Amino acid sequence: MSAPPEDQREHFEQQIRELQAAREEERRAREAAERTSYAKSAFLASMSHELRTPLNAVILYAELLEEELAERGVAELAADVKKIETSAKHLLELINGVLDLSKIEAGKIDLYVEPFDLGLLINEVADTVTPIADKKGNTLKVVKSDVGIVDADLTKTRQILLNLLSNACKFTEQGQITIEAARHGERPVGFVTVAIRDTGIGMSQEQIEKLFKAFTQADVSTKRKYGGTGLGLVICRKFCRMMGGDITVESTVGEGSTFTVRIPVAVKARSSMQLSGIMWLPPPKAPTGQGGPDKRHPTVVIIDHDESVRELMTRLLERDGFETLTASDPEDGFRLARERVPVAIATEVVFPDADGWAALQRLTIDKVLRGVPVFVLSTEDDKQRGRELGAAEFVIKPLTGQDEMNRDALTRRLQRKGFRVVSAVDGPQALQQAREVAPDLILLELSLPLMDGREVMRRLRGNTDTRTIPIIAVTAHALPGERERALAAGADEFDTKPVDFARLLGKVEALIGHSLEDT
């Protein structure tokens, strides 16, 4: 066979080059889109947390004003303040939805798999939702729930069931809502289903197709009549899929809907990648060689002129299996980093006698340290500059005016219930107040300056004078597993901001052992 003409061969080669170039352009565009999507989700997650702190103050002050106006007999003004409180709580619902959705999309939500009795959980959730069903004249019935133990994320499963049952109650009046669970096989391939049926308004096929799209409801008229953010079902389906399951729906207009949750009997867990707003690399497995296992741990270099910050970071990281090297100035930190080539570097950018920004750039462009992520933990709020200089993440050290507002609002509400309140602005002051005052109970914010709230709890539990004082840990950064970590560190109870004051009082009452009405 004769060779193809030269011009034909060149034509083929040109086509191949164009195809390769098109594929490369497509790859770059896809990666850029993924980076943009991740950045958007990460931004939303960060902003949602930032919004919760001032919103907490709005809700607390609104509740305080409402109580005071009601006592003074100014019913009309009290009703207006109630509207402020209701709107703030509705805004909180939206923020929580955006926060959950953005964390899922940014890959910042992990599964915390544990064995639990799914039937007991179903009955518990049904009991919680029954008052909501009663208000609409509905009958709520658990047809079957005896499905045994599953290994799954308990918190996410509860949230899924609560959302679906609450929706069934919302869209049904004078009707019937039933829950039926079934088990299909055993581990490793078995799964369970929970079907939630209602006799409510139902949906068309067109409405069903919009159901799992963010910020979308069945149609505009439904949103006007029933309200909601359009995020609940989206989040529930994403949680299900994270666990290897799904949610399906069948519905007929005017007859009702059936939502079916399916999750594996044994969900596969994923390792956590986030701690306190900072993206950490998980400790790598120790390599093995001819001489046996290498016992060294991954190292993190901490650079900060504040000794208390270095001490806190060391404790947090060593607790999670890292070794740490610390330096009080950028020059020493750079030297240590080059000597050890750590898995990560955490640095301040504000130093009394050095240019921290120049030091940050030096760390990120050094040929030996290239590829080592540098995390900035700073009192200076300039995330954009940090990212431009190569920082992998930028976290502002926690001390804001909003903290003072929240302390003041919560203090005044507790004082109205007869408590004497002593407040502290940071971890060391909290320890000192606890020793001097010996309070009946401690409300402890986990994100404290100078000393982490978990470390405060450990020290309280380690001191004979304070070890038995009940502690309620409180935080606006309610990341997955936060409750479990707080209880493990020594908390007796856990709550999230914005604080639901009635809920908080119930926890206080349970811990101090008597009714608050007696105070």
Side-chain angles (χ1 to χ4, degrees):
M1 181 180 292
S2 60
E6 185 66 23
D7 57 345
Q8 188 176 3
R9 185 173 62 82
E10 290 180 357
H11 175 69
F12 287 154
E13 290 177 350
Q14 178 64 25
Q15 285 185 320
I16 291 172
R17 286 193 294 270
E18 289 176 356
L19 180 61
Q20 290 174 335
R23 287 177 176 173
E24 178 62 21
E25 181 64 27
E26 181 183 356
R27 183 189 64 80
R28 286 197 295 265
R30 184 173 61 252
E31 290 179 351
E34 289 172 353
R35 286 194 299 270
T36 300
S37 176
Y38 178 88
K40 176 205 71 174
S41 298
F43 171 76
L44 287 174
S46 174
M47 285 305 299
S48 295
H49 280 312
E50 295 299 324
L51 289 168
R52 288 169 66 90
T53 299
L55 187 58
N56 183 60
V58 171
I59 292 173
L60 283 172
Y61 276 114
E63 291 175 340
L64 181 64
L65 283 171
E66 188 183 344
E67 288 179 2
E68 292 182 352
L69 290 169
E71 287 180 2
R72 296 179 185 182
V74 191
E76 184 177 349
L77 287 178
D80 288 340
V81 174
K82 180 66 176 179
K83 293 174 185 175
I84 295 173
E85 177 197 339
T86 301
S87 296
K89 288 181 176 178
H90 179 71
L91 179 59
L92 172 62
E93 179 185 347
L94 176 60
I95 289 171
N96 286 339
V98 172
L99 175 60
D100 279 344
L101 185 61
S102 59
K103 286 193 296 185
I104 294 168
E105 291 180 346
K108 292 186 177 182
I109 282 190
D110 292 313
L111 297 178
Y112 293 86
V113 176
E114 59 183 307
F116 63 90
D117 189 317
L118 180 58
L120 290 179
L121 177 63
I122 290 171
N123 290 323
E124 172 196 317
V125 172
D127 289 342
T128 301
V129 176
T130 294
I132 303 174
D134 291 343
K135 287 182 180 179
K136 303 287 288 280
N138 294 316
T139 302
L140 176 59
K141 182 180 180 181
V142 178
V143 176
K144 184 180 180 182
S145 64
D146 185 15
V147 287
I149 303 297
V150 298
D151 291 337
D153 190 308
L154 172 61
T155 301
K156 291 179 180 60
T157 305
R158 179 187 287 112
Q159 184 171 339
I160 292 165
L161 296 178
L162 275 171
N163 184 278
L164 294 178
L165 278 173
S166 297
N167 276 355
C169 293
K170 180 192 293 186
F171 297 110
T172 306
E173 291 188 24
Q174 305 295 323
Q176 177 85 22
I177 299 164
T178 60
I179 312 164
E180 184 172 2
R183 192 179 186 101
H184 310 269
E186 297 298 332
R187 66 192 67 213
V189 295
F191 61 94
V192 291
T193 58
V194 182
I196 297 172
R197 301 183 179 90
D198 67 62
T199 58
I201 62 175
M203 292 173 287
S204 66
Q205 186 58 40
E206 182 182 0
Q207 290 171 329
I208 291 174
E209 290 172 0
K210 297 179 181 179
L211 204 56
F212 294 100
K213 295 180 180 179
F215 301 101
T216 302
Q217 287 190 326
D219 55 38
V220 176
S221 61
T222 302
K223 184 170 185 177
R224 277 199 299 264
K225 181 175 181 180
Y226 295 99
T229 63
L231 290 175
L233 287 174
V234 180
I235 292 167
C236 287
R237 173 174 267 186
K238 287 182 180 290
F239 281 168
C240 270
R241 290 181 172 178
M242 284 177 66
M243 291 189 281
D246 205 350
I247 298 178
T248 57
V249 59
E250 296 177 358
S251 187
T252 302
V253 175
E255 296 183 12
S257 305
T258 300
F259 286 82
T260 302
V261 177
R262 171 183 168 134
I263 59 172
V265 169
V267 173
K268 294 180 180 179
R270 296 189 293 114
S271 61
S272 177
M273 287 287 288
Q274 176 145 346
L275 171 66
S276 302
I278 307 168
M279 191 72 77
W280 294 108
L281 296 174
K285 294 180 180 178
T288 57
Q290 293 181 347
D294 188 339
K295 299 298 184 181
R296 292 176 300 171
H297 296 287
T299 302
V300 177
V301 171
I302 304 164
I303 310 169
D304 201 300
H305 61 90
D306 189 330
E307 183 179 359
S308 63
V309 172
R310 297 197 302 271
E311 179 184 351
L312 169 60
M313 291 294 297
T314 295
R315 286 187 176 136
L316 286 173
L317 289 166
E318 289 182 349
R319 181 188 66 189
D320 288 336
F322 293 91
E323 287 184 354
T324 58
L325 296 171
T326 65
S328 59
D329 65 77
E331 191 61 38
D332 283 346
F334 181 74
R335 177 182 54 78
L336 285 173
R338 278 189 123 246
E339 287 175 359
R340 292 294 293 270
V341 190
V343 297
I345 301 167
T347 184
E348 170 66 270
V349 289
V350 179
F351 291 90
D353 302 311
D355 184 346
W357 293 107
L360 170 62
Q361 186 171 35
R362 186 184 183 190
L363 288 169
T364 58
I365 67 173
D366 183 75
K367 63 180 181 180
V368 174
L369 300 174
R370 191 173 300 147
V372 177
V374 180
F375 301 96
V376 175
L377 293 86
S378 180
T379 53
E380 185 165 325
D381 186 359
D382 197 343
K383 295 182 182 180
Q384 181 63 32
R385 185 179 181 186
R387 298 255 163 75
E388 289 173 353
L389 293 176
E393 187 58 85
F394 197 107
V395 178
I396 306 301
K397 290 179 180 176
L399 184 59
T400 68
Q402 285 295 336
D403 295 328
E404 184 176 351
M405 289 175 62
N406 279 290
R407 283 197 305 273
D408 175 65
L410 189 55
T411 294
R412 288 170 60 184
R413 296 216 66 193
L414 289 168
Q415 287 172 338
R416 290 178 58 79
K417 290 293 182 181
F419 287 98
R420 184 171 74 91
V421 181
V422 177
S423 63
V425 298
D426 56 42
Q429 190 178 70
L431 290 171
Q432 180 181 351
Q433 295 278 32
R435 289 191 296 267
E436 293 177 355
V437 177
D440 296 308
L441 182 134
I442 297 173
L443 294 176
L444 181 65
E445 165 64 62
L446 292 179
S447 300
L448 288 173
L450 303 184
M451 185 183 295
D452 179 75
R454 295 180 193 84
E455 181 59 27
V456 173
M457 287 191 285
R458 291 189 188 93
R459 296 195 183 193
L460 289 169
R461 294 306 184 218
N463 187 295
T464 55
D465 295 330
T466 58
R467 67 174 46 157
T468 61
I469 300 174
I471 300 173
I472 299 178
V474 183
T475 183
H477 299 267
L479 297 170
E482 196 72 63
R483 176 187 177 86
E484 290 74 15
R485 287 191 288 270
L487 297 179
D492 297 281
E493 255 294 0
F494 178 84
D495 211 336
T496 57
K497 292 181 179 178
V499 171
D500 182 319
F501 194 66
R503 181 183 65 204
L504 180 64
L505 286 181
K507 294 179 180 181
V508 171
E509 179 178 316
L511 287 174
I512 64 177
H514 67 276
S515 171
L516 292 174
E517 294 181 3
D518 297 335
T519 60

